[in-house]
Amino acid sequence: MAPNRLLNFAALLLLWVQLSSLCSQTLAQGSDVVDLTIDNFEQNMKEGDWVVEFYAPWCGHCRRLAPVYEKLATELKGKVGVGKVDGTKHRSLSARFGISGYPTIFHVSGETVRKYTGGRQLAQLKYFAEEGYEKVEPVGWLESPYGPVAKAKMYLTRIGVVGIEIHEYLVSEFKLSNAAAIAVLLTGLVASLLLGLMILVKCLTPSVPAREHAHKD
């Protein structure tokens, strides 16, 4: 009798997992909030005005805001884009926008960025997205995510993230020590810098036209 009960329990558990997965996929497909990533961020920002939330999966305030944010996206559909960025996954975007806490919300119109500092009620967020943003001073040029400082921070962060991933790969797959993995990374970095410098010098050096040699009869 016990084996039958165990099999029934396993079958019910499997069914529950499948139903949960199906529900999650349905909810994700039905969401009007766009998941923004490092790959699709720039293209989406070119398509009209956007409200962008930076969040973290572990953030309690973000989880409480989620259903309100979903309603906001539905009510603004076709008028203002509503997107979210997982700041823990896309750290280079977080660095670019100077994120220091979650959730952080911006209004983005072209390269004009305004930070939201109001409440988290639906009416407040909707007013900010539609017209209230005009009363907010845009982020200054030096702090702007589209300025040179922010872009430099973004690229440096991306390099750092890639470096950490390569380090972890070398340690886990090739069983290198931390010191050896760091040495490999530094060697690759120096080699890349030297190669880039050689290419730059080559491009900047004016080419000397070849002289024609007279042929002797």
Side-chain angles (χ1 to χ4, degrees):
M1 196 70 178
N4 289 334
R5 289 182 179 178
L6 186 60
L7 287 173
N8 290 336
F9 175 76
L12 287 172
L13 182 62
L14 180 61
L15 179 61
W16 180 81
V17 170
Q18 291 175 338
L19 287 174
S20 298
S21 176
L22 181 61
C23 289
S24 298
Q25 293 175 4
T26 303
L27 288 173
Q29 292 172 355
S31 175
D32 291 318
V33 179
V34 178
D35 282 311
L36 298 170
T37 68
I38 191 67
D39 297 318
N40 67 12
F41 187 86
E42 295 295 341
Q43 184 58 42
N44 277 299
M45 292 304 107
K46 293 177 181 178
E47 300 173 1
D49 291 359
W50 281 80
V51 174
V52 179
E53 176 206 5
F54 283 81
Y55 75 98
W58 46 259
C59 170
H61 293 299
C62 301
R63 288 197 294 267
R64 285 190 288 273
L65 176 63
V68 177
Y69 205 64
E70 288 286 348
K71 291 179 182 177
L72 177 70
T74 301
E75 294 195 10
L76 293 178
K77 190 173 183 178
K79 296 184 289 184
V80 179
V82 177
K84 61 180 180 180
V85 179
D86 184 343
T88 63
K89 185 182 294 183
H90 304 289
R91 296 177 185 175
S92 56
L93 278 176
S94 293
R96 180 177 172 182
F97 276 77
I99 304 301
S100 58
Y102 302 105
T104 301
I105 298 173
F106 295 94
H107 182 279
V108 182
S109 179
E111 294 189 359
T112 303
V113 180
R114 294 174 170 88
K115 187 175 181 179
Y116 179 64
T117 57
R120 295 171 186 162
Q121 300 297 319
L122 178 60
Q124 296 169 314
L125 289 165
K126 187 177 180 183
Y127 172 73
F128 171 74
E130 292 182 322
E131 55 181 297
Y133 69 89
E134 295 177 346
K135 299 179 180 179
V136 178
E137 190 71 21
V139 177
W141 181 74
L142 283 176
E143 296 83 15
S144 172
Y146 291 91
V149 176
K151 288 187 177 181
K153 287 167 62 179
M154 179 184 71
Y155 291 127
L156 288 173
T157 303
R158 290 184 71 176
I159 292 171
V161 170
V162 171
I164 291 172
E165 291 175 350
I166 294 174
H167 175 272
E168 292 176 349
Y169 180 78
L170 291 173
V171 171
S172 62
E173 296 297 324
F174 293 93
K175 309 302 179 184
L176 297 181
S177 65
N178 285 328
I182 292 172
V184 172
L185 278 173
L186 290 176
T187 302
L189 179 61
V190 171
S192 300
L193 289 174
L194 288 175
L195 180 60
L197 184 61
M198 290 171 61
I199 294 173
L200 181 62
V201 171
K202 181 70 175 177
C203 292
L204 295 178
T205 303
S207 58
V208 179
R211 295 179 179 178
E212 293 184 2
H213 295 281
H215 292 282
K216 294 182 179 180
D217 294 330

